[in-house]
Amino acid sequence: MRADRLVSLVLLLRQRGRLTADTLARELEVSTRTVLRDIEALSAAGVPVYAERGRNGGFALLPGFRTELTGLNHDEALALLTAGSGRGEQVFGLGPALASAMRKVTDALPESHRASASDAARRFLVEPETDLLSRRPVPEEVPGTTMIEIRRAVLAGHQLRIHYAATDQAPLWRTVDPIGLVTVRDRSYLLATRSGADRTYRLSRVLAAEELPEPARRPHQVDLDRVWQERCAQFLSSDHIAVLVRVAPERREELLSTAVAVRAAAPDPDGRLRLEVTYQDLRHAEWALWQLGTDAEVVAPGTLRSSLRDRAAAIASLYGDAS
């Protein structure tokens, strides 16, 4: 791991010029003391890195220095492949590996193309924190050590032991056979089997994980997209209720925070959003949508419209007497 960090340090100095120890520490996610030790190791190995004192000082490489340090390691290649299919830099614990890989890719470009490629990258923005309608939900956090163990087990095809906190239950240790990892709308899931039965685990509820040496009982080939679709269909068909609702844009996140799942979303001509969401049952849906008052209108099913109408009528009758 230190060798990868030394490579990243050299590439940072090559691509960005003079940098302070504090800046390098933030980029490499290590302490300033570690950076200083790495600088000493590079100097001892013959890399021409030098320090400049003063207010605008820092560390830099001698002009024109170049070395072939662009080989990708396993995690960096995995990070690039994952990022190419979505927002991989924010999931599965691959952010630092992706940053290191992109530095190597940039350094591998011919000098004449490097500046234009960097400028082109700044012209694209993928999945920002805010959109035109509302603020995005905050992605769920998974401890780095836990994510590493899960990822290793999935890729190596080994069994996995997880300490999992299911909803309204005390955390329990479970041994599972991992199939794959999926991220959807800032939530990440582990698809697995347990004693031969399909299981889906939300990663934010995994408190600890341990890769086991025993091989996982799973097919050698997997169509993860098909497996995910089957899991979703099974989940949505088990005592859940699908609701079509029109909601004011400013209440969108509040609505989504109470739903079990979101299946579709589209704008209406009057500025409202038309969402197809899933709730646990009719009672859950009635409670959640009542909180939004007139900012949400249920389009279907009719049973939910009727129950909300009856509740509103009962409230109106109770408070109808102005005296």
Side-chain angles (χ1 to χ4, degrees):
M1 297 295 278
R2 190 191 186 195
D4 284 338
R5 191 174 68 243
L6 292 175
V7 169
S8 292
L9 196 158
V10 171
L11 294 179
L12 280 169
L13 294 177
R14 271 187 42 77
Q15 294 164 19
R16 293 168 56 179
R18 186 187 306 112
L19 295 173
T20 66
D22 289 341
T23 299
L24 289 167
R26 285 195 302 271
E27 290 285 344
L28 299 173
E29 299 182 352
V30 296
S31 67
T32 303
R33 181 174 298 179
T34 297
V35 167
L36 295 177
R37 286 200 298 264
D38 287 348
I39 293 290
E40 290 181 3
L42 288 172
S43 296
V47 177
V49 57
Y50 65 96
E52 291 190 2
R53 309 292 181 183
R55 181 178 178 182
N56 297 317
F59 294 100
L61 295 169
L62 287 178
F65 173 76
R66 181 175 180 82
T67 186
E68 297 300 326
L69 296 172
T70 54
L72 297 181
N73 65 27
H74 175 269
D75 274 356
E76 291 166 351
L78 178 62
L80 287 176
L81 292 173
T82 305
S85 63
R87 299 170 60 244
E89 75 278 7
Q90 297 183 23
V91 296
F92 306 148
L94 294 172
L98 180 61
S100 176
M102 295 312 295
R103 283 193 290 268
K104 292 180 179 180
V105 169
T106 301
D107 195 73
L109 293 172
E111 190 73 34
S112 58
H113 296 338
R114 194 173 301 141
S116 60
S118 297
D119 180 69
R122 287 192 287 269
R123 303 294 177 178
F124 300 135
L125 180 61
V126 180
E127 295 286 354
E129 284 296 317
T130 57
D131 61 28
L132 294 178
L133 299 175
S134 62
R135 183 172 179 81
R136 294 178 55 85
V138 178
E140 296 180 330
E141 296 290 336
V142 182
T145 53
T146 299
M147 192 65 251
I148 289 172
E149 290 292 310
I150 294 173
R151 197 172 72 230
R152 284 176 177 169
V154 169
L155 297 177
H158 291 167
Q159 288 190 332
L160 181 67
R161 189 166 176 259
I162 58 174
H163 196 210
Y164 191 74
T167 306
D168 300 326
Q169 296 181 23
L172 294 174
W173 283 97
R174 299 168 166 85
T175 298
V176 302
D177 296 295
I179 295 173
L181 295 167
V182 176
T183 181
V184 181
R185 294 187 178 90
D186 298 307
R187 292 180 180 179
S188 298
Y189 302 89
L190 167 68
L191 306 188
T193 60
R194 184 177 172 218
S195 301
D198 291 344
R199 293 289 185 268
T200 301
Y201 299 100
R202 194 158 156 182
L203 291 187
S204 61
R205 294 176 181 162
V206 179
L207 307 180
E210 177 188 3
E211 179 192 4
L212 302 178
E214 292 80 11
R217 294 184 291 271
R218 67 181 191 181
H220 292 297
Q221 301 293 329
V222 63
D223 183 345
L224 203 58
D225 186 58
R226 179 184 59 79
V227 173
W228 177 248
Q229 290 183 30
E230 291 173 352
R231 297 282 177 97
C232 289
Q234 181 182 10
F235 175 78
L236 294 173
S237 64
S238 58
D239 299 326
H240 289 77
I241 180 174
V243 177
L244 184 61
V245 58
R246 298 175 66 251
V247 64
E250 63 271 15
R251 305 296 296 276
R252 171 179 177 266
E253 296 304 329
E254 188 176 347
L255 170 68
L256 297 186
S257 68
T258 62
V260 173
V262 183
R263 304 187 68 180
D268 264 359
D270 63 356
R272 290 204 166 197
L273 298 175
R274 184 175 290 255
L275 302 173
E276 185 179 347
V277 295
T278 302
Y279 289 99
Q280 293 175 0
D281 49 35
L282 182 63
R283 183 180 178 183
H284 177 211
E286 181 181 334
W287 169 84
L289 293 164
W290 180 262
Q291 315 304 312
L292 301 178
T294 58
D295 285 334
E297 176 194 357
V298 173
V299 179
T303 52
L304 180 56
R305 285 181 62 92
S306 298
S307 62
L308 288 169
R309 182 191 61 232
D310 293 344
R311 175 184 278 206
I315 293 292
S317 175
L318 179 64
Y319 293 102
D321 186 357
S323 62

